[in-house]
Amino acid sequence: MGKVPVLSYSGFRTYSECPQRWKFLYLDRLPEAPRSYFSFGRSIHSALEEFVAPLVATPSGGDGRRLGRQTTLLDFPGEAPRILSVEELLALYERHWVREGYSSPEEEKRYFDLGRDLLIRFHRVFSAELPMPLAVEKELATTVEGLPVHGIIDRIDRRPEGGLEVLDYKTTRELSLRDAAESDQLTLYQMLVEGNYDLPVERLTLYHLRSLTPLRSPARDRDRVADLAMRLGEVADGIRSDDQDPTPGPYCKWCEFRRLCPEFREVPSQDRERVAELVRRYRELRARPSPLPSELEEVTREIQAEAKRLDIRRLPGANGSQIHLRREARWTVPLPEALARFPVHGVRPPSPPSDDPDRVALRRHDPRLPPALRRELLALTSREVSWHLDLEGPGAF
Ligand code: SF4
């Protein structure tokens, strides 16, 4: 069983999408390819961090946690700080500009000018609104369902009503209110803030920097928080059980690890003939009206052994045909037994009686259920893994 490293939102999202990519990034620590939008985002974030940081009060001399005292900038201990001028903000931007990842000097200049314009407008709006930042680029940690989780939050503001607003800056082109309402990242940030501050979270905001639009959503309710806790728990179980299998999807197009990935890795030249022969045998057997099961089993076993030895998922045959080994894994429980445990603990079983063992298995991480029931569900949960051989290309059926 693998140890679960501290999970961040991006670790959670990466693992949920593709455990193999998560392994490359978080266990093997392979560097991500530099990209223009990462560099641009980092440059803007760093400039804004330095711009807003002087306005964060730490009157107790601490780090601003458990801080319930600051109500306006004027409540600073001592003299209220001066807001940096737009020229000073632009100087910060120049100092923090990250040059890597751009395809040409022209592209870099386009992005730089975009950021400059964006910050000038940001300065105007910020100075007029004068928010009450309580923390900026704040690293927070908590545990969710026994999991160590951490995140760096762009900004936490104190609201006039007394609660908190959690803000995440976005430099992406498009963003909608729906993104804010559905964002798992904001839900996780709410969990982190609630685990570290005494004040309630009132609003969750994706701040669209290109249009200077705060896309606001009310704080998540208990059910939304529980839903994310369950999915975090499932990811942690996957990591603990060393499940690091590739799950290919449209995102593979942008994955810089394709060359290393079992889904796309090439078969070494000395093995190609043997692999192609296996594909030919399999294709021939499958083309027969009634192939002998024992023969099919034998060649399937050989294919699986070869794929394992070479650590590949696609076995190329002749003329563009190939066998794709597809793995399906799920957490599941014996349904009648699991459903019977709910009333024992005074909890109504999922209703209408669920016929989806995967959904019931997920409830082992449901923080709304009594711990004893969750332990029992956990004991009943197991991982089911099945393999499928898909014949693709000419000769497939
Ligand atoms: S190429 Fe696709 S399947 Fe392979 S690691 Fe990257 S995202 Fe995962």
Side-chain angles (χ1 to χ4, degrees):
M1 279 238 168
K3 188 172 171 284
V4 184
V6 179
L7 267 185
S8 63
Y9 169 71
S10 51
F12 163 70
R13 199 189 55 191
T14 304
Y15 190 92
S16 305
E17 215 165 69
C18 176
Q20 174 75 70
R21 183 173 161 78
W22 175 86
K23 175 184 178 286
F24 286 144
L25 281 171
Y26 293 91
L27 291 186
D28 304 341
R29 301 201 167 272
L30 301 182
E32 273 188 282
R35 295 185 202 280
S36 53
Y37 47 85
F38 287 151
S39 297
F40 179 62
R42 258 171 53 211
S43 308
I44 297 277
H45 273 72
S46 304
L48 287 182
E49 177 185 357
E50 274 204 50
F51 173 65
V52 180
L55 309 180
V56 174
T58 53
S60 58
D63 62 358
R65 284 187 189 186
R66 306 281 173 206
L67 182 61
R69 287 171 44 194
Q70 184 192 0
T71 52
T72 75
L73 277 174
L74 299 176
D75 292 329
F76 254 77
E79 207 176 319
R82 176 180 70 84
I83 293 179
L84 297 185
S85 68
V86 70
E87 290 75 20
E88 286 169 312
L89 172 57
L90 293 177
L92 289 175
Y93 178 52
E94 267 186 56
R95 183 147 62 78
H96 287 292
W97 181 250
V98 180
R99 302 204 59 187
E100 62 184 14
Y102 296 97
S103 58
S104 65
E106 291 74 29
E107 187 192 36
E108 185 185 344
K109 172 145 183 7
R110 258 201 321 278
Y111 268 98
F112 184 82
D113 291 347
L114 173 72
R116 206 172 173 280
D117 172 62
L118 177 163
L119 289 175
I120 292 170
R121 289 183 292 117
F122 181 90
H123 188 276
R124 200 178 310 132
V125 171
F126 187 90
S127 308
E129 288 179 352
L130 220 54
M132 294 173 277
L134 211 57
V136 59
E137 287 289 316
K138 187 78 181 163
E139 179 157 15
L140 295 176
T142 190
T143 48
V144 179
E145 293 304 290
L147 297 172
V149 175
H150 94 128
I152 299 175
I153 299 177
D154 289 338
R155 209 170 96 202
I156 305 170
D157 282 359
R158 177 79 179 265
R159 302 208 59 233
E161 292 84 352
L164 301 176
E165 176 170 3
V166 177
L167 292 102
D168 189 58
Y169 297 138
K170 293 288 181 206
T171 49
T172 44
R173 244 177 253 280
E174 305 284 335
L175 208 61
S176 68
L177 267 175
R178 192 171 166 186
D179 292 320
E182 293 180 354
S183 163
D184 280 339
Q185 185 178 16
L186 288 180
T187 311
L188 183 62
Y189 286 180
Q190 176 178 328
M191 290 162 143
L192 284 164
V193 171
E194 284 174 345
N196 286 279
Y197 286 80
D198 291 331
L199 298 170
V201 173
E202 287 177 2
R203 275 203 312 218
L204 298 170
T205 300
L206 291 181
Y207 196 98
H208 187 239
L209 285 163
R210 294 195 190 209
S211 64
L212 298 185
T213 310
L215 298 159
R216 294 192 164 111
S217 158
R220 310 293 192 234
D221 64 17
R222 195 166 160 256
D223 289 345
R224 285 285 300 280
V225 172
D227 176 70
L228 182 60
M230 288 192 279
R231 287 182 287 129
L232 279 163
E234 196 149 79
V235 161
D237 283 350
I239 294 172
R240 281 193 196 102
S241 57
D242 290 328
D243 188 343
Q244 294 147 7
D245 254 60
T247 50
Y251 35 81
C252 293
K253 236 188 296 176
W254 299 282
C255 180
E256 59 272 65
F257 307 126
R258 283 172 67 102
R259 225 173 15 90
L260 305 170
C261 173
E263 280 287 334
F264 299 98
R265 197 169 21 223
E266 286 199 4
V267 175
S269 51
Q270 68 273 20
D271 296 300
R272 281 188 201 146
E273 215 172 297
R274 191 173 50 256
V275 166
E277 174 57 15
L278 281 173
V279 177
R280 189 198 62 73
R281 273 172 59 203
Y282 184 73
R283 196 178 57 202
E284 199 179 278
L285 275 173
R286 292 288 309 276
R288 287 189 202 161
S290 42
L292 274 179
S294 57
E295 277 185 281
L296 254 181
E297 265 167 41
E298 190 191 324
V299 72
T300 299
R301 254 199 319 275
E302 281 181 52
I303 287 168
Q304 285 176 335
E306 195 63 8
K308 191 169 175 201
R309 185 180 73 81
L310 296 170
D311 197 13
I312 51 167
R313 285 297 165 79
R314 291 173 195 271
L315 285 75
N319 306 323
S321 65
Q322 67 170 352
I323 289 172
H324 181 208
L325 268 90
R326 190 164 44 81
R327 179 180 181 270
E328 280 179 13
R330 55 198 273 258
W331 296 99
T332 191
V333 292
L335 203 53
E337 220 178 310
L339 291 179
R341 302 313 305 159
F342 283 74
V344 173
H345 295 275
V347 180
R348 219 152 31 110
S351 123
S354 169
D355 59 354
D356 182 352
D358 304 17
R359 292 289 312 165
V360 177
L362 196 60
R363 302 288 301 271
R364 71 197 183 278
H365 292 299
D366 188 342
R368 293 163 300 185
L369 296 184
L373 172 55
R374 285 166 48 194
R375 276 197 296 277
E376 287 177 20
L377 289 176
L378 184 64
L380 289 170
T381 304
S382 61
R383 187 82 158 150
E384 270 183 12
V385 178
S386 56
W387 286 93
H388 306 269
L389 268 63
D390 297 334
L391 198 51
E392 297 171 351
F397 35 82

